[in-house]
Amino acid sequence: MLPEIGQFSLILSLFFAISLALVPLLGYWKNNQLLLATARPLTFIMSTLVLMSFIVLSLSFLMDDFSVLYVSQTSNSQLPIYYKFSALWGGHEGSLLLWVLVLCGWSSAVALKIRNLPEDIGPVVLAILGMVCSGFLSFLIFTSSPFIRLLPDSPIDGGDLNPLLQDFGLIVHPPVLYMGYVGFSVAFAFAVAALITGNLNAAWARWARPWTTASWAFLTLGITLGSWWAYYELGWGGWWFWDPVENASFMPWLAGTALLHSLAVTEKRGVFKSWTVLLAIFTFSLSLLGAFLVRSGVLTSVHSFAADSTRGIFILVLLLIFVGGSLLLYAIRAVQVRSSVSFGVTGREAWLLLNNILLTVLTLTVLLGTLYPLLFDALGLGKISVGAPYFNSVFTPIALLLIVFMGVGPLSKWHNTKLNVFLLPCIISMVVSVLISGSLVYAYDLGLLAWLSLSIAFWVVCLSFSDWFSKVSVGTKGIIPRARQLPRNYYGMLLAHLGIVVSLVGVVLVSINSQESMVRLSPGEQTSVAGYEFRFDRLEQVQGPNYVSDKAQFTAYKNGQVVALLYPEKRLFNARQQVMTEAALDAGFTRDLYISLGEKLDGDSWGVRVYVKSFVRWIWLGGLLMMVGGLLATLDKRYQRRAGV
Amino acid sequence: MHPVRKKRLFVIMIIAIILSTAIGLVMYALQQNINLFYSPSQIALGEAPRNASIRAGGMVVKDSVKRHSENLSVSFDVTDFQHKVTINYRGILPDLFREGQGVVAQGKLNDEGVFEASQVLAKHDEKYMPPEVTEALKNANGIVKKRP
């Protein structure tokens, strides 16, 4: 009975979503206040219904209702309870339901805050969100309903969740990632509403900004979590693979980062208006494209859901409708939102323009690398893959250039900046950063590339500090009261920029200074990597809740001292008879020790991966800093005030 | 020139410089890093280039996996049920590597026609079949059907 309720409330919510998409727009067109006022209640009803079907599906999972096809595919009675719950988004259907739920969550949040907006814009924004919801709800209901039943022959037990997904990472990574991904549909809704109403001014940008920043912060955290998860779970210590699906989340992030910055210009100076709108559309389209790449199975990827061409076609049509429709609207209406304010080549506008150009170019290069195999195949030229070296060699120089400018840009003033504002800080920072990083590189023998990248890192840190110092050292008050007066927005920016630098240091050092070895070891033998001795002490069989495990003990020594005990495992999961590697880590601020068991070879020897990863934690620490920066900027006091006051 | 136009020209020039640099980089990197996929039949018929980075794949032949007794070297055959190719690899194979499973490897074909793999790609779901392998099997079957 329960699954039918879930299905029913899903269908009902589609009905309300369609009404939400149509009625307020009709009200806007007819200038009818009553119709406009339906937007909020419709949003709440739609969201509640989706929430209800989500709860029903999670109950089906928790109660092991294997008569539901989706539950029987992705869950198992032996699964620990927290994985039973998170198994809900372990497959295509459930993760799509989570997607729709998050979308409804964002829509409701917009509906709650809507009173701050000029009267007719709010309902139009909600109507656009209603359209997006209708699209995804119909995708869910017509191609991938999670409530299909297996009656009367329901299986006794389920097929189990893929062992790779039986991890803490699955509990947190998809929801947070979706919060970011889907959040950009709010920015999209704002952009389209601005095009429809022709009402694109500073107030509009001030309104759209916190939503965009918040989604960006979530997306940052989601990507960071995904990278961290892949690092410890896939068993070979990689933290980024340039996998099509990773790119699918990274492209909206890049475009979203550009959007954040161009929104700042639009809010403060009223320029870049049409570009900002275009970027918002672009960012959302990339989110949709990501959904298409992940769920259609057109590309080979670690995230592959089982391929199904009807789903691919459905989401492609959805993509075309949204992108085509919004671009058409843009073509018709963008002329009306053109701005005519001018700015100088040294003004902050110019720096942010440079930021936008570089970020857009980065997005396009990633897009090209991701779609190139598809194009190649479609033209009948054969099956290819574009390797990580492509992305590394194209992405790295442009990104480094962007980070160099990221240091200078914040020093600038709106409209025009006198050159001597830059001159002294830049010279000092350059000297300091080249010297510090040079001595570090010399001391640890790291090479030229490290020197360049570390210099850039210190350069940004020095310039950020000098900018902060120049802001707090003016006036008669002391430094601390002045520092407190600076807006959260500013500190958010500093933190996020610092986060980029911290990640940069991590990325550079982990790729230059790590040592990896694959060896054949039997218990009692040892190997040495990067000054650490690793001894294979023993191996034992351990019984887990739903698996049997070969658990090894390794002792890591440095200079004869015990540093850590490591317990890598090879697990055999009962339900699918699938083998999984569980790597063992000793995490540290400057290095990670990483051991994972490969295959059992003849006798009692094993293939073993032993890595010493330099500064790998910094990559994710930087991601966390960026996220905190984003949230801080979202909570800036300016956005709390009512618009128009 | 009018100052506004001058400024526009400046902006456009910067964009043009950045874009052309990026396009140059992309072209160069794409030339170096595209890996074409070849099926065992294509390799056996001599269609695949020697000593160039390519990908190959198919089903792992039963009882073909041979491991070195001292180090991590391993060799195995992959097939599309028409032809076989031997793949040499040194390192740890992914968890889901098994005889009878579809795999894709990246590496180079040496002068003896043996594929020296630098990477054997991991798949994370036992039901999942690399699309290249599916297509290679389909094509190989097509050849059989056309021949009778």
Side-chain angles (χ1 to χ4, degrees):
Chain A
M1 187 57 202
L2 262 180
E4 280 69 31
I5 295 177
Q7 176 75 354
F8 182 69
S9 65
L10 215 51
I11 294 170
L12 210 58
S13 73
L14 175 61
F15 171 77
F16 280 101
I18 294 173
S19 319
L20 175 61
L22 298 177
V23 176
L25 279 185
L26 190 71
Y28 176 76
W29 186 43
K30 296 272 184 203
N31 210 353
N32 183 327
Q33 289 302 318
L34 196 67
L35 293 182
L36 280 173
T38 56
R40 295 182 72 221
L42 281 174
T43 310
F44 293 133
I45 298 172
M46 170 189 79
S47 307
T48 314
L49 287 166
V50 171
L51 180 65
M52 214 157 89
S53 72
F54 185 84
I55 292 173
V56 166
L57 189 61
S58 33
L59 284 176
S60 302
F61 267 94
L62 294 175
M63 298 187 311
D64 291 328
D65 185 353
F66 296 120
S67 71
V68 179
L69 173 68
Y70 179 64
V71 178
S72 78
Q73 281 169 346
T74 49
S75 186
N76 183 283
S77 56
Q78 287 181 22
L79 216 56
I81 184 124
Y82 36 92
Y83 293 145
K84 273 183 189 166
F85 177 63
S86 57
L88 197 161
W89 52 80
H92 165 75
E93 291 86 348
S95 65
L96 195 62
L97 181 59
L98 176 68
W99 178 293
V100 174
L101 180 74
V102 172
L103 185 56
C104 286
W106 278 107
S107 310
S108 304
V110 173
L112 280 176
K113 288 268 182 182
I114 212 163
R115 288 162 190 264
N116 300 353
L117 266 187
E119 267 166 23
D120 46 355
I121 295 184
V124 176
V125 171
L126 286 179
I128 307 299
L129 284 169
M131 286 181 196
V132 180
C133 286
S134 317
F136 277 98
L137 273 169
S138 29
F139 182 41
L140 184 61
I141 293 169
F142 297 124
T143 71
S144 16
S145 169
F147 294 108
I148 293 170
R149 291 266 229 167
L150 289 170
L151 287 173
D153 303 313
S154 46
I156 306 204
D157 209 337
D160 204 9
L161 180 64
N162 186 335
L164 258 183
L165 302 179
Q166 297 185 22
D167 185 84
F168 174 72
L170 177 73
I171 303 176
V172 290
H173 167 59
V176 174
L177 191 72
Y178 284 6
M179 286 290 284
Y181 242 152
V182 175
F184 284 128
S185 41
V186 178
F188 170 77
F190 270 102
V192 174
L195 286 175
I196 292 175
T197 59
N199 201 340
L200 211 171
N201 47 28
W204 172 85
R206 190 185 315 139
W207 238 88
R209 254 182 109 179
W211 298 97
T212 312
T213 318
S215 333
W216 178 86
F218 280 115
L219 188 59
T220 310
L221 182 63
I223 294 175
T224 308
L225 284 170
S227 159
W228 170 64
W229 184 19
Y231 167 76
Y232 73 77
E233 183 71 11
L234 293 184
W236 55 278
W239 55 272
W240 189 261
F241 311 89
W242 293 110
D243 176 273
V245 173
E246 285 176 332
N247 295 348
S249 70
F250 193 46
M251 289 185 284
W253 186 85
L254 289 168
T257 313
L259 178 61
L260 284 185
H261 292 91
S262 81
L263 268 173
V265 188
T266 308
E267 185 201 340
K268 289 286 173 67
R269 299 282 303 158
V271 279
F272 297 179
K273 282 179 186 170
S274 51
W275 169 244
T276 303
V277 168
L278 193 60
L279 257 185
I281 294 172
F282 192 43
T283 309
F284 176 69
S285 313
L286 287 170
S287 296
L288 281 184
L289 180 73
F292 168 68
L293 292 180
V294 182
R295 289 165 196 282
S296 63
V298 289
L299 289 171
T300 315
S301 149
V302 285
H303 292 73
S304 58
F305 290 98
D308 181 336
S309 57
T310 54
R311 284 173 190 164
I313 290 166
F314 197 108
I315 204 153
L316 201 58
V317 169
L318 216 59
L319 184 73
L320 290 179
I321 292 175
F322 280 115
V323 178
S326 51
L327 286 183
L328 186 69
L329 191 65
Y330 178 81
I332 299 169
R333 305 281 294 194
V335 194
Q336 299 183 9
V337 296
R338 277 192 62 163
S339 41
S340 53
V341 187
S342 70
F343 56 89
V345 287
T346 54
R348 182 169 286 185
E349 295 92 330
W351 288 100
L352 288 169
L353 177 64
L354 191 61
N355 151 303
N356 268 238
I357 296 169
L358 287 172
L359 278 167
T360 311
V361 168
L362 281 178
T363 315
L364 292 176
T365 56
V366 177
L367 184 68
L368 184 71
T370 311
L371 295 185
Y372 205 64
L374 278 183
L375 289 176
F376 217 73
D377 196 21
L379 295 173
L381 297 171
K383 297 258 179 203
I384 57 159
S385 73
V386 175
Y390 161 79
F391 293 102
N392 291 337
S393 55
V394 175
F395 193 85
T396 316
I398 305 176
L400 283 178
L401 191 67
L402 178 63
I403 298 175
V404 171
F405 291 135
M406 186 183 85
V408 194
L411 300 185
S412 61
K413 306 271 184 288
W414 293 110
H415 197 62
N416 241 327
T417 320
K418 293 202 183 81
L419 277 177
N420 60 12
V421 172
F422 299 117
L423 213 57
L424 192 63
C426 282
I427 292 175
I428 295 178
S429 303
M430 181 155 355
V431 172
V432 169
S433 58
V434 168
L435 283 181
I436 295 183
S437 59
S439 50
L440 281 177
V441 167
Y442 182 72
Y444 292 96
D445 193 22
L446 294 174
L448 262 178
L449 185 62
W451 192 9
L452 179 68
S453 342
L454 290 182
S455 298
I456 293 174
F458 281 113
W459 156 265
V460 174
V461 173
C462 290
L463 282 173
S464 300
F465 181 76
S466 89
D467 182 46
W468 175 81
F469 192 73
S470 74
K471 282 194 167 60
V472 295
S473 60
V474 290
T476 48
K477 285 189 248 171
I479 285 180
I480 294 165
R482 293 235 16 129
R484 280 207 187 143
Q485 271 178 1
L486 289 174
R488 284 184 197 155
N489 218 339
Y490 177 71
Y491 282 114
M493 179 203 76
L494 276 189
L495 262 185
H497 285 185
L498 216 59
I500 297 267
V501 168
V502 170
S503 290
L504 172 71
V505 172
V507 169
V508 169
L509 290 181
V510 82
S511 40
I512 288 177
N513 200 33
S514 296
Q515 297 217 20
E516 319 194 331
S517 99
M518 281 195 246
V519 285
R520 185 188 172 104
L521 286 179
S522 307
E525 292 180 338
Q526 59 181 10
T527 179
S528 79
V529 178
Y532 290 88
E533 291 285 329
F534 296 89
R535 199 181 68 207
F536 189 172
D537 297 326
R538 60 169 184 272
L539 187 86
E540 58 191 2
Q541 288 250 319
V542 179
Q543 187 74 42
N546 53 346
Y547 59 83
V548 194
S549 161
D550 283 323
K551 190 175 184 179
Q553 179 183 309
F554 280 78
T555 313
Y557 301 89
K558 185 163 197 176
N559 304 326
Q561 302 279 316
V562 175
V563 181
L565 289 174
L566 296 139
Y567 299 94
E569 292 182 50
K570 203 82 185 175
R571 292 178 180 169
L572 176 67
F573 283 79
N574 305 336
R576 291 191 179 194
Q577 288 297 304
Q578 186 176 327
V579 178
M580 263 288 309
T581 306
E582 198 71 16
L585 287 170
D586 181 51
F589 192 63
T590 59
R591 59 102 191 94
D592 269 21
L593 306 181
Y594 188 109
I595 297 185
S596 75
L597 291 177
E599 314 139 88
K600 189 167 173 39
L601 307 168
D602 12 299
D604 56 355
S605 64
W606 286 76
V608 182
R609 288 172 211 268
V610 184
Y611 298 157
V612 177
K613 294 256 174 197
S614 197
F615 284 81
V616 65
R617 300 275 140 189
W618 284 48
I619 298 172
W620 309 305
L621 182 67
L624 286 182
L625 284 177
M626 285 181 238
M627 190 245 349
V628 174
L631 289 185
L632 210 58
T634 312
L635 297 174
D636 194 273
K637 289 200 183 94
R638 285 176 317 123
Y639 305 130
Q640 318 289 336
R641 270 184 281 149
R642 293 183 158 225
V645 176
Chain B
M1 219 188 293
H2 194 271
V4 173
R5 284 207 185 148
K6 207 169 168 181
K7 212 172 289 164
R8 275 207 192 126
L9 190 70
F10 184 75
V11 169
I12 290 170
M13 267 172 61
I14 293 222
I15 295 181
I17 291 170
I18 293 176
L19 265 183
S20 47
T21 323
I23 290 172
L25 266 172
V26 165
M27 299 297 280
Y28 175 76
L30 272 181
Q31 247 170 18
Q32 307 288 313
N33 296 302
I34 283 183
N35 306 299
L36 265 166
F37 178 86
Y38 291 92
S39 69
S41 292
Q42 285 174 308
I43 292 174
L45 298 172
E47 287 175 29
R50 302 271 155 125
N51 297 317
S53 177
I54 57 169
R55 295 195 304 154
M59 309 301 279
V60 180
V61 177
K62 290 230 156 50
D63 300 322
S64 72
V65 181
K66 293 186 199 76
R67 290 176 201 280
H68 195 278
S69 59
E70 292 296 311
N71 55 37
L72 290 172
S73 296
V74 56
S75 82
F76 54 90
D77 296 348
V78 294
T79 178
D80 53 6
F81 303 112
Q82 289 298 306
H83 296 90
K84 276 194 230 171
V85 175
T86 303
I87 295 183
N88 282 343
Y89 177 64
R90 188 173 179 142
I92 291 167
L93 292 165
D95 284 340
L96 284 174
F97 178 89
R98 251 176 251 158
E99 295 182 345
Q101 287 264 347
V103 298
V104 173
Q106 171 136 1
K108 289 175 179 169
L109 200 61
N110 68 14
D111 293 326
E112 287 88 52
V114 174
F115 193 82
E116 299 285 348
S118 57
Q119 198 185 0
V120 176
L121 295 184
K123 290 290 158 271
H124 297 106
D125 188 328
E126 77 271 40
K127 280 178 272 178
Y128 184 76
M129 177 79 125
E132 293 93 337
V133 175
T134 317
E135 187 146 325
L137 295 182
K138 225 191 288 169
N139 288 343
N141 275 328
I143 296 169
V144 182
K145 275 173 199 152
K146 274 178 215 152
R147 269 182 196 161

